[in-house]
Amino acid sequence: MLMKQKKATAAILAATVAAGLLAGCSANSNHNNTKATSSPNTNASASPSATEKPAEPIEITWGIHFQAAGVVENTKVEKWLEEKYNVKIKPVKVTDASIASGEVPDIFMLGDPANVSAYQNQGVLSSIDPSMLKEKMPEYSADIEKNAKLFQTVTFDEKLWAIPMFIDLKPYDLAMLWRKDWLDKVGITKTPETLEEFEKAVYAFAKDDPDGNNKKDTYGLTGTATSTWSSGFYSLFGAFGVEPTMWHEKNGEIINGSVAPETKEALAKLRQWFADGVIDPEFITDTQDSYRKKLYNGRIGVIEEQIAKGALPESATVTEMKSLNPESELVFAKNPVGPGGHGSWDWGVKSNFVVFGNKVQEQPEKLEKLFEILRAQSSDEETINMTTLGEKGVHWDFATAGATSGATKFLPGFEKQEERDQDGVRLFSMGNITTQAYREKYSNPALNEAIKTYSSAPNLTDALLFSALPSDGKYKADLTSLMQKYFAQIISGEIPLEDFDKFVAEWKARGGDELTKEANEMYKAQFQK
């Protein structure tokens, strides 16, 4: 199962770790998407008999969930874990500075293979015996084996350095959220499906006064050129069959989407739209938050939105739009089909990664205890619920009254994540390390159906599953910035479209050729069937 990967250089740390702790998808998404088995954890600590002296608690330094703002001491969840598993927990916030100072937790999460590679290179992590993983977490192991290539992303020097998490139905996949009332106003009765229909609609939004105020103050769409990993306009590039910065397999060879010929075609289309006043000129500085506000405020008529936030009547963006603009109406739709197919940026089955600190390998009793808790976090319903949702009836309940499975909801006083953090809910969660059975029990059927309907996965995901290349630390961030600069200038008309060829040459010379060589070597050694 595990195959050899060339060891990443120490330079990866500086370039990738700063963003890495927050790079992964949310590992606390169980109640939003797929959440379980009801059988108790058979590996849980047994209670001592009346004549036995209780064993001393094992001390664990626990890196709290990387998306949490900070440590909250002595929370309800922390005390519950300590009592149930006979441990003493010291919660810590994992940062680059804390790791650099030598304060390495016994257990924590990382968001990306590049971060695992960087920390492993610094001697921060303990390696993991795959056979021990299989023995100690049999339920989860049976599920993750279906996505066994994920192990390749965190295997260096023929050793495994992290436990991969996986996600099957992804609520954060992107599709299109349209102002249906604007479509109606400009005489479009069919939600756009093709690139041509998409183009007709966004031109009408920009030219035909969809808000009816007799002013030329609307645009079709905007982008997110400020993305840290790509270019924005993901669905439009996807219509041409590419995603900038992503590694694609074409006829057995690995190429980068930033320099693919199809990318020039997509840029030509976007450049024309900008010249015709269809794209908001502020696209260069827009973010997902700012383009949502522009949708709410009637400046643009369509955005790329996460399925969980836009596909259902109770979805966050839909409800916010209705509260701010009661007369508006939104409709969700698939990504437009173009000459290269359809799709948007897709993180694939990769989720986050669980790692052990470098001192754990010297403490077999602690390692045993960590695996006991991890097994429970993956397959024991009581433990998963307490760490991800909290106490039933206090923090959460099922969305349907009287239900014993299905979608869940947080109760008043705990609807905001920061409120739940105060009781430790999420701080000690390992999220998507849950079994498939648990996910199915706690899933929202309506959201699952929406994901199946609107997600374009796996049309466009990384051929290397976002693995770290040996020279990423030297080149990746610089090449991403180079791409963003050129693309913004090409789309806005600041430089001619033909300068794309100049960009390709510069990209290759500044490290792109070396990365492409490494990407092909890795693909052939580890991922090619």
Side-chain angles (χ1 to χ4, degrees):
M1 174 185 70
L2 303 177
M3 302 182 71
K4 186 173 182 180
Q5 176 174 313
K6 188 181 297 183
K7 187 172 182 179
T9 63
I12 290 177
L13 183 65
T16 61
V17 172
L21 293 174
L22 300 178
C25 58
S26 172
N28 193 31
S29 62
N30 288 340
H31 72 280
N32 285 329
N33 175 27
T34 50
K35 279 203 109 177
T37 113
S38 58
S39 61
N41 180 12
T42 57
N43 204 35
S45 299
S47 300
S49 69
T51 58
E52 291 177 339
K53 182 179 179 181
E56 287 295 316
I58 291 178
E59 296 183 4
I60 296 175
T61 304
W62 193 304
I64 61 169
H65 195 289
F66 54 56
Q67 292 179 333
V71 170
V72 183
E73 300 284 352
N74 300 313
T75 62
K76 180 180 291 188
V77 173
E78 178 185 334
K79 292 175 181 177
W80 185 90
L81 286 168
E82 289 178 335
E83 182 177 349
K84 183 174 178 69
Y85 295 103
N86 193 30
V87 293
K88 179 61 180 172
I89 294 174
K90 177 186 176 182
V92 296
K93 177 69 175 173
V94 182
T95 65
D96 299 340
S98 67
I99 292 293
S101 71
E103 297 176 358
V104 181
D106 296 316
I107 186 170
F108 58 110
M109 283 195 297
L110 292 171
D112 197 85
N115 314 123
V116 178
S117 174
Y119 280 163
Q120 182 268 336
N121 228 344
Q122 295 296 305
V124 169
L125 308 179
S126 291
S127 61
I128 298 168
D129 182 352
S131 62
M132 188 175 188
L133 173 61
K134 203 166 198 174
E135 175 192 345
K136 301 300 182 183
M137 299 178 66
E139 300 89 354
Y140 182 73
S141 292
D143 285 343
I144 193 67
E145 283 293 338
K146 299 169 188 173
N147 300 291
K149 285 186 177 180
L150 285 172
F151 288 101
Q152 309 297 348
T153 69
V154 286
T155 298
F156 320 118
D157 296 337
E158 298 184 315
K159 291 182 179 179
L160 179 66
W161 296 93
I163 302 172
M165 303 180 199
F166 73 95
I167 186 163
D168 40 10
L169 295 175
K170 301 183 293 301
Y172 46 80
D173 280 350
L174 296 167
M176 309 312 303
L177 186 60
W178 291 90
R179 282 285 302 262
K180 185 179 184 304
D181 52 320
W182 278 20
L183 291 171
D184 293 342
K185 181 70 184 297
V186 299
I188 297 175
T189 59
K190 174 176 174 283
T191 307
E193 296 178 359
T194 67
L195 186 59
E196 291 76 16
E197 292 169 347
F198 186 101
E199 182 174 66
K200 180 181 177 182
V202 294
Y203 268 78
F205 290 167
K207 307 294 184 183
D208 296 346
D209 192 28
D211 58 358
N213 67 355
N214 296 314
K215 296 179 182 179
K216 189 172 176 52
D217 57 357
T218 57
Y219 297 91
L221 73 161
T222 189
T224 54
T226 55
S227 160
T228 58
W229 64 83
S230 190
S231 61
F233 296 112
Y234 307 116
S235 298
L236 281 305
F237 281 102
F240 288 86
V242 293
E243 288 296 339
T245 74
M246 191 178 283
W247 294 105
H248 297 293
E249 184 274 324
K250 301 282 187 180
N251 301 316
E253 293 296 317
I254 300 300
I255 64 168
N256 194 280
S258 297
V259 294
E262 296 87 351
T263 298
K264 186 176 183 179
E265 298 176 33
L267 288 171
K269 178 67 71 175
L270 292 167
R271 177 186 176 88
Q272 185 61 54
W273 290 359
F274 184 90
D276 291 343
V278 172
I279 294 177
D280 190 324
E282 296 175 355
F283 81 92
I284 295 172
T285 57
D286 272 335
T287 65
Q288 284 188 345
D289 284 339
S290 66
Y291 75 43
R292 287 187 188 107
K293 290 177 182 176
K294 289 182 175 182
L295 184 76
Y296 302 150
N297 296 331
R299 184 177 171 99
I300 59 175
V302 62
I303 63 171
E304 293 178 299
E305 184 56 285
Q306 297 174 30
I307 295 172
K309 292 185 175 181
L312 303 179
E314 65 272 21
S315 294
T317 303
V318 177
T319 56
E320 182 72 5
M321 182 72 178
K322 208 68 177 174
S323 69
L324 296 172
N325 195 338
E327 302 304 314
S328 66
E329 185 178 359
L330 297 176
V331 62
F332 210 65
K334 295 180 180 180
N335 299 299
V337 179
H342 70 100
S344 188
W345 185 278
D346 177 23
W347 291 104
V349 296
K350 179 192 81 68
S351 185
N352 303 309
F353 298 86
V354 178
V355 293
F356 297 140
N358 53 9
K359 297 292 178 24
V360 171
Q361 57 197 0
E362 303 164 5
Q363 304 172 76
E365 289 186 2
K366 180 176 288 188
L367 181 61
E368 187 79 20
K369 180 61 68 172
L370 290 173
F371 267 118
E372 177 187 342
I373 296 173
L374 280 174
R375 182 180 184 184
Q377 287 247 359
S378 70
S379 60
D380 174 43
E381 190 169 349
E382 182 185 33
T383 302
I384 303 169
N385 286 352
M386 190 64 181
T387 54
T388 62
L389 296 171
E391 186 178 347
K392 187 174 183 293
V394 176
H395 300 97
W396 70 280
D397 209 333
F398 287 103
T400 302
T404 57
S405 64
T408 61
K409 64 179 181 181
F410 289 110
L411 299 177
F414 298 101
E415 289 144 318
K416 296 181 179 179
Q417 184 63 66
E418 54 266 29
E419 296 169 333
R420 302 194 292 275
D421 283 352
Q422 295 306 304
D423 277 354
V425 179
R426 177 179 73 162
L427 298 190
F428 306 96
S429 167
M430 292 301 174
N432 290 320
I433 205 162
T434 54
T435 60
Q436 191 71 45
Y438 178 86
R439 301 177 192 211
E440 289 172 1
K441 179 174 180 179
Y442 283 79
S443 64
N444 178 341
L447 180 56
N448 287 350
E449 190 59 36
I451 296 169
K452 293 173 183 176
T453 299
Y454 298 112
S455 173
S456 58
N459 289 4
L460 292 168
T461 192
D462 193 86
L464 306 178
L465 301 182
F466 302 97
S467 298
L469 295 172
S471 299
D472 270 350
K474 288 163 55 177
Y475 304 124
K476 186 175 181 179
D478 176 58
L479 293 178
T480 300
S481 296
L482 181 72
M483 176 274 298
Q484 291 173 329
K485 181 189 78 169
Y486 265 97
F487 285 18
Q489 290 176 326
I490 289 172
I491 293 170
S492 64
E494 186 177 336
I495 60 177
L497 178 64
E498 289 67 31
D499 276 10
F500 177 79
D501 301 328
K502 184 188 297 185
F503 157 70
V504 172
E506 191 173 346
W507 185 91
K508 291 181 176 182
R510 287 170 63 167
D513 273 344
E514 187 171 344
L515 291 183
T516 301
K517 180 176 179 291
E518 292 175 355
N520 276 277
E521 290 171 350
M522 180 181 289
Y523 180 74
K524 286 167 183 161
Q526 295 179 225
F527 296 102
Q528 196 169 37
K529 293 181 180 179

